[in-house]
């Protein structure tokens, strides 16, 4: 009898007024771009229903009836509809609840997701009691309980609200349910939680259910929205049911859900494999303990380094170059490609003679650098060497532009060892100052010098270039330089401008 009364309710003849009836819940909708027109159409429709109820000895209840306006006009967010039924004003509400779904003005389903989350948190308490009890409770029982209490509540009407941007709030509560099933901690990856619990992830369950509902709409002409034309979306954040679902070919939603879940696991394993096979993976964040340990290790190594003053030489014996002790090209070819700790190295600077300069310093410099850079052949040394007859002016003292060009092609062009045979003119000093200090990184090992009966295995490290710590960082020693050719440390201002 109740169903007969319900189904016989009069329907408005206005095309903009729609009636939706489910059991004892009746919804009347009016669509228009003006609030006044909506009010004018809703009130007469309610008067027609009131006459039908009184004629059939039914009593309407306006106090339980609610009205709400759905729109995207933020400036009219607090607009109240003035709708009357039997001279009683209908109550306006911002979040009406229809068939268990909490709606809001802009249909973001934010409040529905928050209410569902609180519901799942409450039901997780039952799972927590079961998992911590001494009853015969195994993971299978916990999984069945979670599917019946938690996942069923989340999947209710998910085709309507499942594409909301607030669904992540519900997923957080479901993640906790899976942790109670598996006993995993919070640092367990979320993807692994659902694999261990044997439950498909919430996004897959929601999308499968929505696509299955779309399949039923497409196949059943009796469905209320069968053949409806999808509307163009106004906002990117709004993902309507008709525009973001598709019909599936599977005979059952469980089969489609299993297939999608299997594909997701395969993609996750592939991404995990790629992540572990990356070369030199960098750690994004370093813990405080690791930073302190690394800093202490650096300070310990710095204390073991000898004083920088040990690398300075007070008196450097310079021998005059004579035709008898200058190197020829054949002697250069007979020299070893890289010096050994036992082989002596003689630095033989010389004054500039009238004849073309010898290649002693240049050859020794390149042979010394061969242990730190790719070895060079004799021809390459002669070609790259700046010390040739064409590199100097007629007076044999001031280098020309070609000299500087060839010097820049060498490593560490401002090394003071390149200029031992020259008088430091203003042009050379300006060149050295403009191109910066000679501060190679190192480490550099000083070889034994058997001629002077001196054995030194000190190591010059690039850490000497920075002094003691100051507020805001370390103080750089811009004056300190190291000559790879002479194998000594020196003060650049003193060398250039000292007496």
């Amino acid at each position: 009898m109740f169903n007969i009364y319900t189904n016989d309710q009069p329907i408005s003849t206005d095309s903009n007024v729609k009636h939706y009836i489910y059991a004892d819940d009746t919804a009347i909708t009016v669509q228009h771009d003006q609030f006044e027109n909506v009010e004018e159409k809703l009130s007469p429709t309610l008067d027609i229903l009131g006459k039908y109820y009184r004629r059939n000895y039914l009593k309407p209840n306006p106090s339980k009836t609610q009205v709400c306006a759905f729109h995207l006009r933020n400036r009219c967010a607090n607009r109240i509809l003035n709708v009357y039924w039997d001279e009683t004003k209908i109550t306006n509400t911002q979040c009406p609840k229809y068939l268990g779904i909490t709606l809001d003005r802009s249909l973001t389903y934010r409040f529905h997701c928050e209410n569902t989350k609180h519901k799942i948190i409450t039901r997780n308490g039952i799972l927590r009691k079961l998992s911590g009890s001494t009853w015969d409770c195994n993971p299978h029982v916990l999984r069945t309980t979670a599917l019946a209490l938690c996942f069923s509540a989340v999947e209710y009407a998910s085709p309507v609200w499942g594409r909301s941007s607030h669904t992540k709030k519900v997923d957080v509560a479901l993640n906790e349910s899976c942790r109670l099933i598996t006993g995993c901690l919070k640092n367990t990856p979320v993807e692994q939680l659902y694999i261990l619990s044997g439950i498909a992830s919430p996004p897959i369950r929601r999308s499968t259910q929505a696509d299955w509902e779309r399949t039923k709409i497409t196949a059943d002409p009796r469905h209320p929205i069968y053949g409806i034309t999808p509307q163009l979306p106004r906002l990117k954040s709004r993902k309507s049911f008709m525009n973001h679902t598709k019909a599936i070919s599977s005979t059952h939603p469980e089969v489609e859900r299993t297939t999608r879940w299997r594909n997701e696991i395969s993609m996750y394993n592939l991404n995990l494999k790629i992540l572990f096979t990356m070369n030199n993976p960098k750690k994004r964040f370093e813990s405080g303990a690791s930073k302190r340990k690394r800093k202490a290790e650096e300070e310990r190594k710095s204390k073991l380094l000898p004083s920088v003053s040990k690398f300075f030489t007070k008196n450097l014996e310079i021998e005059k170059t004579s035709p008898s002790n200058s190197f020829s090209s054949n002697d250069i070819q007979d020299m070893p490609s890289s010096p050994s700790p036992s082989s002596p190295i003689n630095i033989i600077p010389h004054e500039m003679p009238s004849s073309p300069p010898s290649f002693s310093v240049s050859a020794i410099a390149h042979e010394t650098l061969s242990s730190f850079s790719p070895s060079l052949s004799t021809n390459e040394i002669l070609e790259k060497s700046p010390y040739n007859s064409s590199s100097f002016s007629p007076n044999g003292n001031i280098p020309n532009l070609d000299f500087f060009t060839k010097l820049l092609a060498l490593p560490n062009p401002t090394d003071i060892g390149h200029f031992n045979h020259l008088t430091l003119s203003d042009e050379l000093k300006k060149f050295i100052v403009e191109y910066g200090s000679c501060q190679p990184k190192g480490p550099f090992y000083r070889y034994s010098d058997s001629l002077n009966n001196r054995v030194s295995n000190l190591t010059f490290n690039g850490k000497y270039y920075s002094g003691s710590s100051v507020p805001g960082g370390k103080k750089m020693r811009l004056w300190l330089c190291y000559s790879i050719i002479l194998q000594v440390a020196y003060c650049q201002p003193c060398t250039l401008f000292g007496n």
Side-chain angles (χ1 to χ4, degrees):
M1 183 65 67
F2 175 79
N3 292 335
I4 295 175
Y5 278 119
T6 303
N7 292 327
D8 287 344
Q9 293 183 79
I11 299 176
S12 176
T13 57
D14 194 333
S15 59
N16 292 328
V17 180
K18 304 291 183 182
H19 293 253
Y20 299 96
I21 302 174
Y22 185 85
D24 58 340
D25 289 326
T26 302
I28 303 175
T29 62
V30 177
Q31 184 177 0
H32 207 278
D33 57 354
Q34 297 295 331
F35 293 101
E36 293 76 9
N37 294 337
V38 172
E39 296 170 352
E40 292 176 359
K41 294 184 178 182
L42 275 179
S43 297
T45 303
L46 292 176
D47 293 337
I48 295 174
L49 286 177
K51 295 178 181 179
Y52 169 78
Y53 293 149
R54 286 188 292 271
R55 186 169 58 250
N56 291 278
Y57 302 100
L58 298 175
K59 183 178 180 181
N61 192 352
S63 61
K64 292 185 178 181
T65 306
Q66 297 177 344
V67 63
C68 178
F70 301 98
H71 58 89
L72 298 177
R73 301 177 185 177
N74 294 331
R75 64 180 183 275
C76 302
N78 298 324
R79 177 68 162 79
I80 296 176
L81 294 177
N82 298 316
V83 180
Y84 294 88
W85 189 11
D86 290 342
E87 299 181 356
T88 303
K89 187 177 181 179
I90 303 299
T91 305
N92 282 262
T93 179
Q94 295 292 333
C95 300
K97 192 172 184 179
Y98 181 69
L99 297 180
I101 303 177
T102 304
L103 306 176
D104 56 274
R105 176 182 60 83
S106 55
L107 295 179
T108 60
Y109 301 102
R110 169 190 169 187
F111 298 102
H112 179 77
C113 293
E114 292 177 352
N115 295 338
T116 306
K117 174 186 175 181
H118 295 312
K119 184 186 299 184
I120 300 305
I121 292 175
T122 303
R123 299 186 180 188
N124 283 340
I126 301 177
L127 285 177
R128 192 172 288 105
K129 278 289 185 180
L130 290 176
S131 61
S133 64
T134 57
W135 302 338
D136 187 14
C137 185
N138 50 47
H140 178 72
V141 175
L142 292 175
R143 177 180 178 274
T144 305
T145 306
L147 288 173
L149 294 180
C150 303
F151 284 86
S152 62
V154 171
E155 293 175 8
Y156 173 75
S158 62
V160 177
W161 59 269
R163 289 164 304 282
S164 171
S165 59
H166 300 280
T167 54
K168 294 181 180 179
K169 300 178 181 179
V170 182
D171 295 344
V172 172
L174 293 178
N175 296 341
E176 183 63 24
S177 302
C178 291
R179 290 190 182 95
L180 294 173
I181 297 173
T182 58
C184 297
L185 302 178
K186 286 189 176 182
N187 56 0
T188 305
V190 177
E191 294 81 2
Q192 295 291 341
L193 278 177
Y194 292 95
I195 296 176
L196 294 175
S197 59
I199 302 176
S201 59
I204 291 181
R205 301 180 71 91
R206 288 193 295 264
S207 63
T208 304
Q209 189 171 358
D211 291 345
W212 180 251
E213 188 68 25
R214 180 65 180 273
T215 304
K216 294 192 295 183
I217 294 173
T218 306
D220 190 1
R222 299 173 299 174
H223 201 282
I225 58 176
Y226 173 81
I228 191 174
T229 303
Q231 301 293 328
L232 294 177
R234 293 181 56 186
L235 299 176
K236 292 183 179 180
S237 59
R238 301 298 185 270
K239 300 177 181 179
S240 63
F241 173 80
M242 299 300 296
N243 290 326
H244 291 82
T245 56
K246 59 182 180 179
I248 57 180
S249 58
S250 300
T251 58
H252 198 274
E254 186 70 27
V255 178
E256 181 68 18
R257 183 168 57 200
T258 304
T259 303
R260 295 185 181 183
W261 189 27
R262 186 182 296 111
N263 296 336
E264 184 186 55
I265 294 176
S266 301
M267 185 61 64
Y268 171 75
N269 293 335
L270 179 61
N271 295 336
L272 196 63
K273 183 178 180 181
I274 294 174
L275 179 63
F276 280 102
T277 54
M278 290 176 60
N279 295 329
N280 299 326
K282 294 183 179 180
K283 190 175 181 180
R284 181 173 295 182
F285 300 105
E286 188 177 7
S287 62
S290 178
K291 292 179 181 179
R292 292 189 293 270
K293 184 178 180 181
R294 176 170 52 80
K295 186 176 180 180
E297 183 67 18
E298 292 177 355
E299 293 178 354
R300 185 186 67 82
K301 291 182 179 180
S302 299
K303 291 179 180 179
L304 296 178
L305 294 175
S307 175
V308 68
S309 61
K310 294 184 179 181
F311 292 90
F312 292 96
T313 56
K314 295 182 179 179
N315 298 321
L316 180 63
E317 297 180 0
I318 301 177
E319 299 180 5
K320 301 291 183 179
T321 304
S322 61
S324 61
N325 60 4
S326 61
F327 290 103
S328 63
S329 60
N330 296 331
D331 296 332
I332 295 175
Q333 293 179 359
D334 295 335
M335 293 178 65
S337 60
S338 60
S340 61
S342 60
S343 61
I345 295 180
N346 298 327
I347 307 302
I348 310 177
H350 56 84
E351 296 179 355
M352 188 64 197
S354 59
S355 61
S358 63
F359 298 94
S360 58
V361 178
S362 178
I364 297 295
H366 280 284
E367 293 296 337
T368 307
L369 288 172
S370 62
S371 61
F372 309 107
S373 61
S375 59
L376 300 174
S377 63
T378 304
N379 295 332
E380 292 175 344
I381 292 174
L382 295 176
E383 291 176 1
K384 290 188 177 183
S385 174
Y387 312 108
N388 50 50
S389 58
S390 63
S391 300
F392 296 87
S393 60
N395 58 11
N397 191 22
I398 301 175
N400 59 17
L401 183 60
D402 186 54
F403 169 79
F404 293 112
T405 304
K406 292 184 178 181
L407 191 64
L408 289 175
L410 297 176
N412 303 315
T414 58
D415 194 323
I416 199 64
H418 292 311
F419 314 102
N420 264 352
H421 67 296
L422 297 175
T423 301
L424 291 178
S425 61
D426 294 341
E427 289 81 0
L428 285 177
K429 292 180 181 179
K430 183 178 180 181
F431 171 81
I432 295 174
V433 172
E434 286 182 352
Y435 282 91
S437 305
C438 179
Q439 293 184 342
K441 295 183 179 180
F444 303 106
Y445 299 89
R446 298 186 66 181
Y447 304 113
S448 302
D449 191 350
S450 58
L451 296 179
N452 298 326
N453 296 325
R454 182 182 64 183
V455 179
S456 177
N457 294 324
L458 296 178
T459 304
F460 186 84
N461 199 291
K463 294 183 179 180
Y464 288 118
Y465 299 136
S466 59
S468 58
S469 299
V470 295
K474 291 186 177 181
K475 186 177 181 180
M476 300 302 298
R477 295 170 174 167
L478 300 179
W479 55 269
L480 178 61
C481 299
Y482 185 82
S483 174
I484 303 178
I485 300 174
L486 303 179
Q487 299 183 12
V488 293
Y490 62 94
C491 174
Q492 179 169 298
C494 297
T495 304
L496 297 181
F497 308 105
N499 295 327

